[in-house]
Amino acid sequence: MTLLSEHYDKNHRGRLMAEERQVFFPLRLRAHEASSNKMKYDERYTRYIERLGLLPFIQLVTRSTPNMNPCAITALVDRWKPETHSFHLRTGEMTVTLQDVSMILALPIEGIPVCFSTDAANRRDRMFDLIGAVPAVPDDPTKYRVPAGATYVWIAEHFSQCPGDASEEMFKQYTCAYLWYVISRTLFADGGGRTAPWMWLKALSGWDSKQSWGSAALAYLYRQLDEACCRHKDDASIGGPLVLLSVWMWEHFSVGRPKVIRYGAWDDHDNPLRQPTWGYKWDKVSEFNGDQKRMYIDYTNEFDALTAEQVITAMSKIVIICLVPLICILLFFLALFSCLA
């Protein structure tokens, strides 16, 4: 597909593959290990997470996340256009919207923007105030780069399980550390994949801030797609809310769509905010096996050959849902008139 900007024409994976016949590897997906049990969820966290509006999302990602397909995701990323923030397909343009964020991840899309200074000055003091601990400073800071945050290993070592006799202040600290770990791995995973950035802990400093986390997650996904579609190295990766992107792709396209194996037990604790989201439709899916380079080529060809009839749009779902009861009513009256006749 012809692009819109010479800058992206020059560097875009899609152009290089189509015009210069370059061969790329599938992108690596940054880990989503919120459900790996490295950080155990404590029901005492619930009342604080609920105040932030993140409870439905946390309920979804901490219990399980589906197996994702890096080959199919990469084939889709190759069709991303940073100029329009949409996927350009033979059938037209499509993109992930705030409605998708709300339905799939149940993140709040109303409220104030997740907007703050990323300045890391005095971050160690601020971090201690929020979670009660800070990573040790290397003996030789000039030799080792000190990240503006903390490694996931360090967070798990110090906050994996909240003590049963924890004070209220300690309990808040463990809740904050838990959220920092989870959202950094599932919503805002970056190219490094080892460190939870300080700025996301900073964003959790107010329990009643009423922030639009859904808008922030969608903007971050767009930025990750903008960068990933121009990455060429064999070990290139993509981060961001990839559960959102995967479920969105499976809902609309048959390309790379897995088979749903089963649904795990879901305990909503009689709380409406903890009921399943749209993402639960893909709770337990089949794994992706085979040669990744071969699968990547196959998925690319499938997207190239995609027709309008093979794309499931939100509107088509609504039309189907509305037509089914109308058809049933029509059939009922036809049968009634036949009996009367």
Side-chain angles (χ1 to χ4, degrees):
M1 292 299 191
T2 302
L3 304 185
L4 305 177
S5 166
E6 291 184 2
H7 169 73
Y8 291 108
D9 271 343
K10 180 180 178 181
N11 299 293
H12 200 287
R13 290 169 59 101
R15 188 197 70 82
L16 296 174
M17 292 168 64
E19 298 183 9
E20 300 186 14
R21 303 302 178 186
Q22 292 193 23
V23 177
F24 297 111
F25 288 91
L27 295 167
R28 296 170 57 194
L29 308 184
R30 283 304 168 194
H32 286 64
E33 296 185 349
S35 57
S36 66
N37 211 31
K38 291 181 180 178
M39 293 285 285
K40 295 179 175 60
Y41 185 80
D42 192 312
E43 281 299 328
R44 293 175 294 173
Y45 299 162
T46 302
R47 57 194 175 101
Y48 286 103
I49 296 176
E50 187 172 347
R51 287 167 62 180
L52 286 169
L54 296 174
L55 185 57
F57 166 74
I58 293 297
Q59 171 82 349
L60 174 71
V61 299
T62 56
R63 60 177 301 281
S64 67
T65 50
N67 298 314
M68 289 178 282
N69 188 336
C71 304
I73 288 177
T74 306
L76 182 63
V77 171
D78 291 340
R79 284 152 181 77
W80 178 258
K81 302 301 183 285
E83 309 94 313
T84 60
H85 283 153
S86 60
F87 298 103
H88 285 217
L89 308 165
R90 288 186 59 205
T91 57
E93 297 180 48
M94 296 180 67
T95 195
V96 186
T97 66
L98 276 177
Q99 183 183 41
D100 298 315
V101 175
S102 180
M103 293 180 65
I104 296 172
L105 298 183
L107 288 168
I109 59 176
E110 297 181 346
I112 64 175
V114 182
C115 183
F116 49 86
S117 171
T118 58
D119 183 17
N122 300 321
R123 62 178 174 80
R124 294 180 62 83
D125 294 336
R126 294 285 307 280
M127 187 185 298
F128 187 84
D129 292 339
L130 290 171
I131 62 176
V134 292
V137 178
D139 295 333
D140 185 2
T142 61
K143 185 177 180 181
Y144 300 97
R145 179 179 175 270
V146 180
T151 64
Y152 295 114
V153 172
W154 180 87
I155 298 174
E157 286 178 351
H158 291 78
F159 299 95
S160 62
Q161 188 168 1
C162 185
D165 58 349
S167 64
E168 190 68 16
E169 183 63 25
M170 182 183 294
F171 177 63
K172 289 181 181 180
Q173 293 170 348
Y174 270 76
T175 305
C176 200
Y178 179 86
L179 286 171
W180 185 26
Y181 182 96
V182 172
I183 68 172
S184 296
R185 301 219 74 162
T186 57
L187 294 181
F188 307 112
D190 59 14
R194 294 185 300 176
T195 302
W198 148 250
M199 61 182 178
W200 300 121
L201 176 61
K202 187 176 181 180
L204 296 167
S205 58
W207 295 112
D208 298 300
S209 55
K210 306 299 181 185
Q211 298 180 103
S212 178
W213 287 97
S215 301
L218 184 61
Y220 195 86
L221 176 63
Y222 283 0
R223 181 172 182 178
Q224 286 290 316
L225 289 167
D226 289 348
E227 296 174 353
C229 69
C230 296
R231 289 175 177 159
H232 310 144
K233 294 181 178 180
D234 293 347
D235 60 349
S237 63
I238 181 174
L242 295 179
V243 171
L244 168 66
L245 182 61
S246 292
V247 172
W248 181 87
M249 179 178 66
W250 297 336
E251 286 291 327
H252 291 289
F253 312 114
S254 60
V255 180
R257 182 183 293 160
K259 179 181 178 182
V260 178
I261 299 175
R262 60 184 175 85
Y263 297 95
W266 186 287
D267 187 359
D268 60 15
H269 298 267
D270 296 322
N271 186 343
L273 292 177
R274 301 179 71 170
Q275 292 181 353
T277 69
W278 201 268
Y280 182 62
K281 288 182 59 180
W282 306 93
D283 188 35
K284 306 291 182 182
V285 299
S286 56
E287 295 187 13
F288 303 96
N289 299 314
D291 182 78
Q292 289 206 0
K293 290 186 67 176
R294 181 70 255 174
M295 292 169 65
Y296 177 34
I297 295 173
D298 291 342
Y299 292 142
T300 298
N301 293 334
E302 288 183 45
F303 272 118
D304 286 342
L306 206 61
T307 64
E309 292 75 18
Q310 294 173 307
V311 178
I312 302 174
T313 63
M315 184 56 67
S316 66
K317 291 181 181 180
I318 294 174
V319 170
I320 292 172
I321 292 172
C322 294
L323 284 179
V324 168
L326 292 176
I327 293 173
C328 292
I329 293 172
L330 179 61
L331 292 175
F332 170 78
F333 280 108
L334 288 175
L336 180 62
F337 290 147
S338 298
C339 293
L340 294 176

